C-alpha cells in the first residue's frame, strides 16, 4: 500500500517533468499507517464537521496527498488528475490548494505556514469542543512537516504558541530525512528538533519512519498525550528509488526513465504505469469506507444533541437574524452625536456591539491589546483553563497570529479577528496573502496607519503598505473615515466572502458622515456635494477625508465648486456597475487625491493627470499634526494645489 503512493508520486512527477517525489516516497510508510489506522476522514463527505484535519505543511510533496486522496476514494482526484499533475485544469496543482481539491484542508507550499495554520485549526477545535462538548467536537489535527518547515521562522512562533496553549489535539509528524534543496540539512542547521519542541512544552518521540509496527505504536502513544506531540520520523528521501534512495539531492525531480525502471524493480512493482493493482486499491478503499462508518456513527449521535443545529449554523458561518441590530443602532446614534475619535477606538466601539451578538467572533492581538482596541468586556481569555474564552493573547508573533487565524477560519465555526500596528503587517504579509488565496474569512485589524503615528517615527509609520495590500487579489482593504464608516466597514467585512483588513488611525479625527444609508459598502461614494457643477473633485480615505472636507470649505468660500468622495474600500468600488463608478468619479476637470501614503493606485480615481497630495518618501519623528504640516497634507495644501490645477 505504501509502495502505491511511491509509484504514483514517482510516475506523476516524472510525467510532469516537474515536482518533488522525494518526500512522498520517503513519508509513504508514515502516511499509510496514519490514513489506515488513525486519521478520521470520509471520502464521501470530505467536509464533515468532526473529521480530523490533515495538513501537508511540506506542500511541495503534494503527490503524497493526491495519492492518498485517490487511493482512499475521494472523487476529487482521479487517475487522470494524477496523470495531469501540475497541468492546467487538473485537481492536482503543484502545491495543494484549499477550495480547488476536496480533501485539501489548507493551501500549503510556502514552508512553515502549514504548521502555523494547523495550530489555528487545533485552537479552533479546542474552543468548539469546550463550547459544544465531546459528542459534537472531538478530533485531532495532524501535520506532516519537513526540515525546511522547521527552519522557517514562523515555525518557532507556531510551536511556541501551541505549547503555551497546550494543544493536545495537535500531532506533528516530522519527516526527519536531513535533506533540503541544497543538500544535507546540516549545511544550515545544527539544532536538535526534539529538544526544541520539548522546550516549548511538547511531548516528543523519535521513530523509524519505515517501520509500520513502530509507527502505529508511537501514534497510539501520541493520541493519549495531554500536550501537543511531535514525532520525528527518521526516513530516507526517495525511499524505494533503488540507488537514489536517501540521496542528498533527492528532494526534487531527478528520476529519469532508467532510474524509474530501476526503482520499480527495487520495489518489485511489475504493473503498468499509473496502474494500482485491484487488491491494493481495494485495501485502500476499505480504509476510506471505515471512515464513512465513523462519520455516520457520529451523525447518529450528533443528531440527538440539542446543540447540533447550533454547531451546523456555526460551521456554515450563518449569522443570527438580529446579529447586526445593535451595530445598526450604534450607527444611527453616531450620526446624531458626530463623535471625534480615532478610528481604532471607533473599531473597538463597533466590536462592543458585534462580539456579544456573534458568538463565532474570536478576537486577539499581537501584544497590543490596549492600543488596537480588539478586546471587548466579557469575552474571557482563551487559555488552558478555559478554552471557551474568546480573546487570544498571541504575543509578539504577527506571522504566527495571521496564520493561526487562517487555520481557525478554515476549520470552521469561528470568525477570527486580531490586531497589530499596520507597519507590522510586513511580518504577517505571507499569511495574509495565503489567506487571500484560500478565501479564509479573517479580519485583520491594523491600527496606527500613517504618519499620524507621530513621535515613534518612520520605523512605525506605514506609507507603502496601503498600496501593497490594495494590490493583493482577494483581500478587502478598508480605511474608514469616522465612527459611522468604521461600523459600516466592519459590517461589510463580516459579510465579505474572504479576508478583510481594517486600516485605522491612532490620532483622533472629526466625524464627516451625515447620511444614514450604508454607503461604505459601495467602496466609494460622494460624501459631500459641490454647491454647483463641480470644478474640483477631491478623493480621500480614512483620516484624510476630513482634510478633504476642510479643503472643500476653503475652495467653496473662494467660489470654486468642489465635491468630496470618500473611498473606504477600493475592491468594493471595483465591483460596482460602470454607471455607478462613473457617477462617483464624476467629470470635474480637476481631480485631486489626498492620502497620507504613497500615490500608487490613485490613478483609478484621478487619472494620470490628476493631483496627488501625500507621501513621496518615509515619514519622520514629531507630533502628528506637525508632520501633516511638514508633508503638506493639510486643507490649505489641498486647496492650493486644486486652485493651481484649475488655473493651469
Amino acid at each position: 500500500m505504501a509502495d502505491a503512493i511511491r509509484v504514483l508520486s514517482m510516475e506523476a512527477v516524472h510525467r510532469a517533468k516537474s515536482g518533488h517525489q522525494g518526500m512522498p516516497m520517503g513519508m509513504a510508510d508514515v502516511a499509510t499507517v496514519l490514513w489506515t489506522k488513525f486519521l478520521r476522514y470520509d471520502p464521501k463527505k470530505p467536509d464533515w464537521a468532526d473529521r480530523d484535519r490533515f495538513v501537508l505543511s511540506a506542500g511541495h510533496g503534494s503527490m503524497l496527498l493526491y495519492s492518498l486522496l485517490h487511493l482512499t476514494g475521494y472523487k476529487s482526484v482521479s487517475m487522470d488528475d494524477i496523470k495531469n499533475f501540475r497541468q492546467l485544469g487538473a485537481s492536482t496543482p503543484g502545491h495543494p490548494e484549499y477550495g480547488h481539491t476536496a480533501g485539501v484542508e489548507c493551501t500549503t507550499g510556502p514552508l512553515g505556514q502549514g504548521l502555523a495554520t494547523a495550530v489555528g485549526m487545533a485552537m479552533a477545535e479546542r474552543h468548539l469542543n469546550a463550547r459544544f462538548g465531546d459528542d459534537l467536537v472531538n478530533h485531532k489535527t495532524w501535520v506532516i512537516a519537513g526540515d525546511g518547515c522547521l527552519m522557517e521562522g514562523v515555525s518557532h512562533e507556531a510551536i511556541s504558541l501551541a505549547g503555551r496553549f497546550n494543544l493536545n489535539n495537535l500531532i506533528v509528524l516530522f519527516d526527519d530525512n536531513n535533506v533540503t534543496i541544497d543538500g544535507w540539512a546540516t549545511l544550515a542547521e545544527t539544532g536538535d528538533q526534539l529538544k526544541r519542541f520539548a522546550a516549548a512544552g511538547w511531548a516528543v518521540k523519535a521513530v523509524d519512519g519505515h517501520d509500520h509496527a513502530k509507527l502505529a505504536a508511537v501514534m497510539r502513544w501520541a493520541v493519549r498525550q495531554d500536550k501537543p506531540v511531535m514525532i520525528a520520523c527518521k526516513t530516507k528521501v526517495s525511499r524505494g528509488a533503488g540507488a537514489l534512495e536517501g540521496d542528498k539531492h533527492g528532494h526534487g525531480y531527478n528520476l529519469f526513465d532508467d532510474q524509474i525502471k530501476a526503482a520499480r524493480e527495487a520495489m518489485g512493482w511489475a504493473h503498468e504505469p499509473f496502474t494500482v493493482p485491484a487488491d491494493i486499491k481495494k485495501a485502500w478503499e476499505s480504509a476510506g469506507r471505515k471512515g464513512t462508518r465513523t462519520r455516520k456513527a457520529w451523525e447518529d449521535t450528533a443528531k440527538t444533541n440539542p446543540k447540533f443545529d447550533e454547531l451546523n449554523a456555526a460551521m456554515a458561518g450563518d449569522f443570527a437574524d438580529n446579529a447586526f441590530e445593535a451595530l445598526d443602532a450604534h450607527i444611527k446614534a453616531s450620526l446624531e452625536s458626530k463623535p471625534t475619535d480615532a478610528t481604532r477606538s471607533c473599531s473597538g466601539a463597533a466590536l462592543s456591539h458585534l462580539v456579544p451578538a456573534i458568538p463565532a467572533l474570536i478576537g486577539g492581538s499581537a501584544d497590543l491589546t490596549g492600543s488596537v482596541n480588539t478586546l471587548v468586556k466579557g469575552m474571557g481569555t482563551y487559555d488552558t483553563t478555559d478554552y471557551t474564552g474568546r480573546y487570544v493573547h498571541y504575543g509578539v508573533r504577527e506571522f504566527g497570529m495571521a496564520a493561526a487565524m487562517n487555520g481557525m477560519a478554515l476549520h470552521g465555526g469561528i470568525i477570527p479577528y486580531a490586531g497589530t500596528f499596520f507597519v507590522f503587517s510586513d511580518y504577517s504579509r505571507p499569511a495574509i496573502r495565503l489567506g487571500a488565496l484560500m478565501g479564509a474569512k479573517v479580519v485583520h485589524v491594523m491600527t496606527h496607519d500613517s504618519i499620524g503615528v507621530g513621535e515613534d517615527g518612520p520605523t512605525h509609520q506605514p506609507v507603502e503598505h496601503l498600496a501593497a495590500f490594495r494590490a493583493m487579489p482577494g483581500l478587502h482593504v478598508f480605511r474608514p473615515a469616522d465612527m459611522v464608516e468604521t461600523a459600516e466597514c466592519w459590517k461589510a467585512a463580516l459579510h465579505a466572502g474572504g479576508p478583510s483588513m481594517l486600516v485605522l488611525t491612532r490620532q483622533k479625527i472629526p466625524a464627516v458622515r451625515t447620511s444614514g444609508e450604508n454607503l461604505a459598502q459601495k467602496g466609494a461614494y460622494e460624501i459631500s456635494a459641490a454647491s454647483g457643477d463641480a470644478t474640483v473633485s477631491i478623493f480621500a480615505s480614512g483620516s484624510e477625508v476630513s482634510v478633504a472636507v476642510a479643503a472643500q470649505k476653503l475652495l467653496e468660500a473662494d467660489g470654486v465648486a468642489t465635491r468630496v468622495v470618500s473611498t473606504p474600500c477600493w475592491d468594493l468600488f471595483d465591483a460596482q456597475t460602470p454607471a455607478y463608478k462613473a457617477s462617483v468619479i464624476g467629470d470635474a476637470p480637476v481631480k485631486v487625491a489626498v492620502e497620507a501614503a504613497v500615490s500608487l493606485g490613485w490613478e483609478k480615481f484621478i487619472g494620470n493627470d490628476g493631483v496627488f497630495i501625500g507621501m513621496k518618501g518615509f515619514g519622520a519623528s514629531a507630533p502628528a499634526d506637525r508632520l501633516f504640516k511638514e508633508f503638506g497634507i493639510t486643507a490649505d495644501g489641498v486647496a492650493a494645489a486644486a486652485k493651481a490645477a484649475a488655473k493651469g
Side-chain angles (χ1 to χ4, degrees), residues 1 3-4 7-8 71 79 268-272 274-285:
M1 292 172 74
D3 283 345
V7 172
L8 287 178
L71 290 167
M79 187 60 80
W269 193 272
H271 316 289
E272 292 296 314
F274 297 101
T275 300
V276 179
D279 59 332
I280 296 176
K281 189 67 165 69
K282 182 178 179 180
W284 271 112
E285 290 176 345

Side-chain angles (χ1 to χ4, degrees), residues 406-602:
N406 285 342
M408 291 180 186
L410 294 175
H411 178 280
I414 287 176
I415 303 172
Y417 73 89
T420 187
F421 292 172
F422 192 27
V423 75
F424 299 144
S425 63
D426 285 335
Y427 290 142
S428 52
R429 181 181 174 84
I432 296 171
R433 181 180 187 273
L434 217 55
L437 182 59
M438 294 186 285
K441 192 168 187 176
V442 172
V443 182
H444 302 277
V445 179
M446 299 291 179
T447 72
H448 295 59
D449 69 344
S450 72
I451 59 170
V453 170
E455 291 87 345
D456 276 345
T459 59
H460 284 55
Q461 294 170 5
V463 293
E464 76 276 25
H465 299 66
L466 271 168
F469 281 110
R470 283 170 175 160
M472 184 178 286
L475 175 69
H476 292 301
V477 179
F478 295 92
R479 190 169 185 246
D482 64 2
M483 184 75 78
V484 172
E485 270 200 7
T486 303
E488 289 178 343
C489 287
W490 260 109
K491 192 172 184 178
L494 291 176
H495 283 96
S500 298
M501 177 181 289
L502 272 75
V503 181
L504 308 167
T505 69
R506 173 182 184 265
Q507 75 277 17
K508 292 184 177 182
I509 51 179
V512 289
R513 270 290 291 280
T514 57
S515 167
E517 181 188 356
N518 189 334
L519 297 169
Q521 67 182 348
K522 295 180 180 296
Y525 62 94
E526 184 178 86
I527 195 169
S528 184
S531 58
D533 292 337
T535 299
V536 176
S537 286
I538 306 176
F539 301 85
S541 78
S543 51
E544 287 70 66
V545 175
S546 59
V547 174
V549 171
Q552 177 193 34
K553 292 178 180 178
L554 295 176
L555 289 164
E556 288 279 357
D558 285 344
V560 181
T562 303
R563 59 194 287 269
V564 176
V565 173
S566 179
T567 66
C569 183
W570 294 11
D571 298 281
L572 291 182
F573 179 69
D574 289 342
Q576 304 306 312
T577 65
Y580 177 80
K581 288 190 283 187
S583 70
V584 169
I585 292 173
D587 55 8
V590 175
K591 294 181 173 64
V592 180
V594 54
E595 189 171 64
V598 298
S599 64
L600 189 65
W602 274 104

Side-chain angles (χ1 to χ4, degrees), residues 113-130:
Q113 280 207 60
L115 170 57
T117 305
V119 169
M121 293 179 177
M123 291 173 66
E125 191 277 343
R126 289 292 80 191
H127 175 77
L128 295 173
N129 170 268

